[in-house]
Amino acid sequence: MNARTLTDKGRGTAEQAANSKAMDAAARWGFVARGAIYLLVGVLALRVAFGGGGGGQQADRGGALAEIAAKPMGAVLLWALGAGLVGMALWRLSEALFGAAGPDGHKAGKRLLSAGRAVFYGFTAYSVLAFAAGDEGSGSGSSDQESRDITARALELPGGRWIVGVAGVAIAAAGLWIGVRAVLRKYHKHLKLAEMSRPARRFVDVTGVGGGTARGALFTVAGVFVVLAAVAYEPDRAKGVDDTLRSFTETSAGPWLLALVAVGLMLFGLFSWAMARWRRV
């Protein structure tokens, strides 16, 4: 058996693993884990809107992990959450390597996007598992401080302002892309529509459009703050999820706009759970 035959055999085995029932289950558990985080972030944001600052808790992933850890069986739930995010990362990695489901899943752009998502979910999974293992600084650190630290380091690089500015524009553009795709219901092409009842489709559309719009708004505003940090050459102007959410209360709508976004994030959590049931993997 020559080297090429061995390579082809290994690639075939890897593709079989990517299309296996185990990978299907890993992807769906990943959607459940993502949904849990967004649902909790939405709840925490709602507390900030009407609870006088949320009792000192951060309305971001760190706050969500701290909330879970404080519950009975919290440690077990954290490990389960981390395992789900590992599954999500592996599934996205398999899409990057072998292509995603659907007629255009093998296009270079789709595979590159899946690779980026794999890195993101891999990092998120690591932070959750590290927190579950006892390293509280890994998972529950302030997203605001992380954002300021990363921005400060980037600004110190040659052409740092441009680097930060382009990154901010990219984040804002991604937010707009997320929101527009949600409004246009682009997620339909990924769903097992034939298996869904009319109430199920209505539920997915309400949570998908409302949740995707809120998620897109959050990314867009966060990106704008990064651009402002680049223009002013002040890293403190960059905001993480918590500060970005709190900034909605500074508008003329006051806490009501934050409440609306918070409900939207909760809807996105429910949408993620619906995707765990009906998405084609």
Side-chain angles (χ1 to χ4, degrees):
M1 187 177 294
N2 58 35
R4 182 173 181 178
T5 302
L6 287 172
T7 301
D8 290 343
K9 184 177 180 180
R11 183 180 296 112
T13 301
E15 288 189 31
Q16 288 178 359
N19 296 318
S20 66
K21 290 183 178 179
M23 186 60 72
D24 181 271
R28 298 190 189 284
W29 186 240
F31 279 114
V32 172
R34 186 183 75 174
I37 290 177
Y38 270 96
L39 191 62
L40 283 173
V41 170
V43 170
L44 291 171
L46 204 58
R47 290 182 188 173
V48 171
F50 298 116
Q57 283 187 303
Q58 304 160 27
D60 54 15
R61 185 180 68 241
L65 296 182
E67 185 80 2
I68 293 173
K71 302 298 182 185
M73 302 292 290
V76 175
L77 292 174
L78 286 173
W79 283 108
L81 197 67
L85 293 170
V86 168
M88 178 71 86
L90 290 175
W91 171 54
R92 291 301 190 183
L93 179 60
S94 72
E95 286 188 330
L97 295 175
F98 308 113
D104 58 348
H106 285 77
K107 290 183 178 179
K110 293 283 186 180
R111 295 173 75 159
L112 184 62
L113 184 60
S114 292
R117 286 169 169 167
V119 172
F120 171 78
Y121 284 114
F123 172 79
T124 305
Y126 169 79
S127 67
V128 173
L129 292 173
F131 181 77
D135 184 2
E136 297 185 0
S138 297
S140 62
S142 169
S143 62
D144 304 317
Q145 188 60 50
E146 289 177 0
S147 179
R148 289 191 289 267
D149 289 345
I150 292 172
T151 303
R153 287 196 293 269
L155 285 174
E156 292 174 357
L157 297 172
R161 270 188 171 178
W162 286 103
I163 293 172
V164 173
V166 169
V169 170
I171 294 170
L176 291 173
W177 180 76
I178 290 170
V180 170
R181 286 178 62 84
V183 171
L184 296 178
R185 304 178 187 183
K186 291 291 187 179
Y187 52 80
H188 275 191
K189 65 182 180 180
H190 297 300
L191 295 173
K192 301 176 181 178
L193 293 173
E195 300 179 12
M196 299 172 65
S197 64
R198 182 173 296 179
R201 291 189 186 190
R202 187 177 298 112
F203 173 80
V204 168
D205 281 339
V206 170
T207 57
V209 174
T213 302
R215 184 176 180 235
L218 178 61
F219 274 78
T220 300
V221 175
V224 169
F225 282 126
V226 173
V227 172
L228 292 175
V231 172
Y233 204 75
E234 295 178 8
D236 286 349
R237 292 204 177 192
K239 298 180 185 293
V241 173
D242 182 63
D243 272 353
T244 300
L245 285 170
R246 292 174 190 270
S247 70
F248 287 110
T249 64
E250 299 170 3
T251 65
S252 58
W256 293 103
L257 181 57
L258 174 56
L260 184 62
V261 174
V263 170
L265 295 178
M266 294 165 67
L267 287 176
F268 188 77
L270 296 176
F271 173 73
S272 296
W273 288 349
M275 294 290 273
R277 170 64 178 85
W278 287 298
R279 197 188 198 282
R280 287 188 289 107
V281 176

